[in-house]
């Protein structure tokens, strides 16, 4: 039995998340998803998640192709492996060939797990959604601010 693990923030769940999770599930017998804590996401991204941890876990657990959801406590995935052993960790191929990817591969080799890169969906990301929402919020604020009366500064 091959146990797969997909770590992530899964903030503002979108089709890119679904694509990675579906592709991972096709490559293992049991799929465990590690959802990063609010604190670890804030350390990694420099901002808190939009969706709190409990709700992100509930959303991921509701997906029929996910067998288990665990809280991912740290960027060092050896800790996740010790808490929930897995054979393969799946990541988006945007990590492949990067310093982060090489470090991940080396760390997991220490515990006998491998990293498999899956196609990243470039058309959408939580960062893109956040930027879109921020832009919409600014536009809404501009439209709701009353224009100064003409001649008020004479």
């Amino acid at each position: 039995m091959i146990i797969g693990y997909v770590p992530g923030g899964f903030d503002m769940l979108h089709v890119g998340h679904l694509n990675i999770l579906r592709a991972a599930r096709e490559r293992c017998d049991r799929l465990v998803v590690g959802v990063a804590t609010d604190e670890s996401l804030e350390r990694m991204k420099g901002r808190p998640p939009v969706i709190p941890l409990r709700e992100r876990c509930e959303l991921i657990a509701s997906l029929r192709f996910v067998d288990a959801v665990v809280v991912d406590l740290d960027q060092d995935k050896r800790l996740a492996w010790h808490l929930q052993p897995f054979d393969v960790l799946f990541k988006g191929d945007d990590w492949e060939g990067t310093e982060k990817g090489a470090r991940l591969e080396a760390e997991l080799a220490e515990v006998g797990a491998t990293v498999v890169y899956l196609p990243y969906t470039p058309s959408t990301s939580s960062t893109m959604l956040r930027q879109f929402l921020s832009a919409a919020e600014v536009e809404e604020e501009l439209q709701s601010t009353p224009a100064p009366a003409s001649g008020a500064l004479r």
Side-chain angles (χ1 to χ4, degrees):
M1 172 181 271
I2 297 173
I3 299 173
Y5 185 74
V6 179
F10 303 101
D11 195 20
M12 295 187 287
L13 188 63
H14 55 74
V15 73
H17 293 135
L18 295 176
N19 289 341
I20 290 282
L21 293 171
R22 278 191 204 112
R25 185 63 177 93
E26 291 171 359
R27 291 162 174 80
C28 63
D29 300 304
R30 176 174 166 74
L31 180 61
V32 178
V33 178
V35 179
T37 65
D38 294 350
E39 296 78 17
S40 68
L41 279 180
E42 194 158 356
R43 278 193 312 273
M44 283 187 292
K45 306 277 187 176
R47 61 182 183 269
V50 172
I51 310 296
L53 174 63
R54 178 188 230 148
E55 292 178 22
R56 288 183 283 123
C57 287
E58 190 174 335
L59 287 166
I60 297 299
S62 73
L63 300 172
R64 69 178 173 270
F65 42 84
V66 172
D67 296 301
V69 174
V70 297
V71 174
D72 193 313
L73 302 169
D74 196 82
Q75 286 189 4
D76 185 340
K77 298 310 169 209
R78 292 171 295 192
L79 175 60
W81 184 90
H82 285 291
L83 295 173
Q84 173 75 54
F86 52 84
D87 302 297
V88 181
L89 182 142
F90 297 100
K91 272 312 256 185
D93 62 8
D94 55 320
W95 276 55
E96 192 169 16
T98 68
E99 186 179 316
K100 290 188 305 186
R103 185 173 55 248
L104 179 64
E105 292 169 27
E107 290 172 355
L108 289 180
E110 292 175 18
V111 296
T114 59
V115 177
V116 170
Y117 296 101
L118 299 172
Y120 174 78
T121 305
S123 62
T124 187
S125 71
S126 298
T127 301
M128 291 167 83
L129 291 172
R130 187 184 287 264
Q131 289 170 342
F132 176 79
L133 293 171
S134 294
E137 187 176 280
V138 168
E139 181 65 29
E140 184 177 304
E141 182 68 27
L142 289 173
Q143 290 178 358
S144 66
T145 305
S150 62
L153 297 176
R154 290 186 183 213

